[in-house]
Amino acid sequence: MDKENIVAAKVEEPTTRITRARAKAMETSVGVLPASRPSFKEDQKRALRAHTKRTASDDNKACATAISGLQHKRRAVLKDVTNLIRENSHANCDNGAKVQTNKQARKCPVKKNTEVAANISMEISGGEEDVKTKLAEDLSKIRMVEAQEITSPAETERKQHICHGQREGVVAGLMLAPKKPAGEQSSQEKEENSIGEKMESPSGSGIVDIDSNLKDPQICGLYASDIYSNSRVKELDQRPSIDYMERLQHDITPSMRGILIDWLVEVSEEYRLVPDTLYLTVNLIDRFLSENYIEKQRLQLLGVTCMLIASKYEEICAPRVEEFCFITDNTYTRREVLKMESQVLNFLYFQISIPTTKTFLRRFIQAAQASYKVPCIELEFLANYLAELTLIEYDFLKFLPSLVAASAVFLARWTLNQSDHPWNPTLEHYTNYSTKELKTTVLALEDLQLNTSGCFLTAIREKYRQQKFKCVATLTSPQRVLSLF
């Protein structure tokens, strides 16, 4: 009988590994458990315990014992590692916490720590004493590597201080200075002290930092230099053609374009639009006419449509489409305006964020006011007046918007004060234009101011003859600007 039971147990022994889930399922199902048959002694024990309260629990224990006997032993190494770490927990608790904190605090090379950890796990199986020794040595290696890679708080603060000084030094005007070799450069504290101070230029005059007012968020003092540097690049990308009238447009003339823009100036005054809307409108008109032929009957439609687009982009409350139709005496319907709007936007690929003359004029006027103890409001109005005069002139398309803005500031300063040269190192630094580079544009702008050509378009002149603009349209300089060049 015993031999038969042994043979039967061997036959019924499972060939596959029994997992915990399978063992649980075998406990719940009857007759599925692949265990050996109980012996005669076990039957007697169960018969004696038949009337006790612990029968069910003992049966469960026997069943669990049979299952555990069939399972293979796993994770022996893991158990030894766990016991080893527990024995050495008091010695390594603080070191482990420091290592974990350092890993979370910054990005350190993963390969080094991973290789050390792999060596630790391989050496543990050798012996308990050797493992302890190896673990201590490896942990000391980790601490040495991390000590070399981790910068101290004082060093980090010093680097941040240097970066901040470099950023502000660029804003202060160091972008134009020639780069010195690393051996000739002094400490970064000189750059930090230059904030808000006058820096000596090659001519001996000082450059005033106009971005030192960091308290006003609208000035964007930290980013102003980068913003306008990017604008100088951007104005070259989306320039309208300077000869589209001769090359493409045969039904309209430069004088028709001037009449349209002069009328749009009146429209902007009627609806109290900001100057940026007017400048953007003219830019959209010229960019569309550079590549699209249009008849003179539809030129006014293009004008009101571009002003509608510019109003949506610049204004808080833009006029409605019906108002632009009404301003044209209902010459064009709402449907025509919307169709033209779609045509213009699709042609421009919705790229309407373009730096105009007004964009640079704000920056350059701020630089011009830096030499005044009290801001001169007449200078701002006069520079805006001269810049708007260029909008109606087709010939001014050959000049960059930044060049026109710098020339307007140059001529405005000369008109208000002939006792001093209108250009100084501060303006030359922030405009990146010298006096010689402004000569052609300033002379052309002076002709517009004096109206030497007898232009009959008077909307801009009438606008700046008002008292709210200090009547700057009536101002002229007794001495011609040519004497400065």
Side-chain angles (χ1 to χ4, degrees), residues 296-454:
K296 59 182 177 181
Q297 293 84 5
R298 295 170 57 84
L299 183 61
Q300 189 180 18
L301 174 62
L302 175 64
V304 295
T305 302
C306 290
M307 180 160 279
L308 172 64
I309 297 172
S311 300
K312 291 180 178 180
Y313 184 79
E314 297 287 356
E315 301 291 334
I316 298 176
C317 297
R320 298 178 300 169
V321 181
E322 291 78 11
E323 295 181 78
F324 285 107
C325 295
F326 174 78
I327 205 69
T328 62
D329 197 15
N330 293 321
T331 304
Y332 309 103
T333 62
R334 184 177 187 274
R335 184 175 181 179
E336 290 177 319
V337 173
L338 294 179
K339 184 179 179 180
M340 178 61 73
E341 179 186 19
S342 176
Q343 184 178 353
V344 172
L345 289 175
N346 284 307
F347 170 74
L348 299 177
Y349 296 99
F350 289 82
Q351 296 180 2
I352 55 179
S353 180
I354 303 299
T356 61
T357 303
K358 184 64 177 177
T359 304
F360 298 101
L361 199 59
R362 289 191 179 92
R363 176 75 166 174
F364 299 163
I365 290 175
Q366 184 184 2
Q369 300 277 20
S371 60
Y372 299 152
K373 294 182 179 179
V374 179
C376 181
I377 192 66
E378 287 84 0
L379 174 63
E380 182 177 353
F381 289 151
L382 184 55
N384 280 282
Y385 164 64
L386 296 174
E388 286 189 24
L389 285 177
T390 64
L391 293 177
I392 61 176
E393 294 294 327
Y394 171 74
D395 294 334
F396 270 81
L397 289 178
K398 61 185 177 183
F399 301 120
L400 290 173
S402 59
L403 183 60
V404 174
S407 302
V409 173
F410 185 101
L411 185 57
R413 284 173 60 88
W414 175 249
T415 302
L416 295 175
N417 184 15
Q418 293 84 33
S419 62
D420 193 11
H421 197 282
W423 215 238
N424 54 38
T426 302
L427 281 167
E428 184 173 349
H429 169 71
Y430 286 104
T431 61
N432 288 331
Y433 289 115
S434 63
T435 304
K436 294 181 180 180
E437 293 173 325
L438 298 176
K439 179 179 178 179
T440 304
T441 314
V442 170
L443 294 177
L445 192 57
E446 188 185 33
D447 291 339
L448 285 181
Q449 182 187 24
L450 300 176
N451 197 14
T452 56
S453 61

Side-chain angles (χ1 to χ4, degrees), residues 23 79 131 425:
K79 183 176 180 181
V131 168

Side-chain angles (χ1 to χ4, degrees), residues 257-328:
R257 173 188 176 275
I259 293 172
L260 173 65
I261 296 174
D262 187 75
W263 175 74
L264 289 175
V265 172
E266 296 180 353
V267 174
S268 64
E269 284 293 295
E270 179 70 21
Y271 292 117
R272 299 181 179 180
L273 305 179
V274 296
D276 301 79
T277 303
L278 179 62
Y279 282 94
L280 182 57
T281 300
V282 177
N283 179 271
L284 297 178
I285 292 173
D286 290 326
R287 288 167 61 193
F288 185 81
L289 291 177
S290 297
E291 300 296 336
N292 296 272
Y293 176 80
I294 194 170
E295 300 84 2
K296 59 182 177 181
Q297 293 84 5
R298 295 170 57 84
L299 183 61
Q300 189 180 18
L301 174 62
L302 175 64
V304 295
T305 302
C306 290
M307 180 160 279
L308 172 64
I309 297 172
S311 300
K312 291 180 178 180
Y313 184 79
E314 297 287 356
E315 301 291 334
I316 298 176
C317 297
R320 298 178 300 169
V321 181
E322 291 78 11
E323 295 181 78
F324 285 107
C325 295
F326 174 78
I327 205 69
T328 62

